[in-house]
Amino acid sequence: MSRVPHPSQPGRAARLRAAADRDGSRCVWCGRECAGLVVATTDHLVPRVKGGPSWLENEVVACRRCNAGRGHTSPAEWFAECERRGWHPDLDAVLGALRSLDRAITERGGQRRARPYLAAQLRRLTRAEQDRRAG
């Protein structure tokens, strides 16, 4: 059974194109260019199991390897893991999407289950951003 997107939200392929237009065609986690054999996917920052919507504001471009590797790991934990591996995750893109999602939820309402998870990720990644600037 295929899912029909909400009339006000574009389908998955359109959201992937929009995320690439917004953030570029590199994986936000490892920095690899998503072209050829490196397949681009949309990664839900707030996972669907945590109440995250399939909205552009909740999705970033990730290569298939990173999207599958992250699984249900939180964005803050996966960010730290990517840095540990020597990759160069795009903190600006991740935080930008999370902040945009926070605004979208405020404007559109709903998403009760996603709100606490989103707030926690924003706090943790904002601290990482501050540490980067200080350090």
Side-chain angles (χ1 to χ4, degrees), residues 17-77:
R17 283 190 302 275
D21 288 345
R22 178 190 66 205
D23 301 326
S25 59
R26 293 190 170 279
C27 174
V28 299
W29 302 116
C30 70
R32 292 190 307 167
E33 183 71 32
C34 292
L37 295 176
V38 180
V39 177
T41 64
T42 54
D43 185 10
H44 288 76
L45 293 174
V46 177
R48 305 254 321 143
V49 298
K50 298 284 187 179
S54 286
W55 297 350
L56 174 60
E57 297 88 351
N58 188 34
E59 296 175 334
V60 293
V61 174
C63 68
R64 186 176 289 159
R65 176 189 70 184
C66 286
N67 198 345
R70 179 178 161 227
H72 295 300
T73 304
S74 76
E77 290 168 351

Side-chain angles (χ1 to χ4, degrees), residues 40 111 117 119:
Q111 311 306 319
Y117 184 90

Side-chain angles (χ1 to χ4, degrees), residues 90-112:
D90 188 343
L91 182 58
D92 292 335
V94 173
L95 268 172
L98 288 171
R99 289 172 177 147
S100 180
L101 177 60
D102 192 42
R103 287 189 301 274
I105 288 174
T106 299
E107 292 168 7
R108 298 175 196 165
Q111 311 306 319
R112 280 191 335 264

Side-chain angles (χ1 to χ4, degrees), residues 4-11 55:
V4 176
H6 187 276
S8 66
Q9 289 295 317
W55 297 350

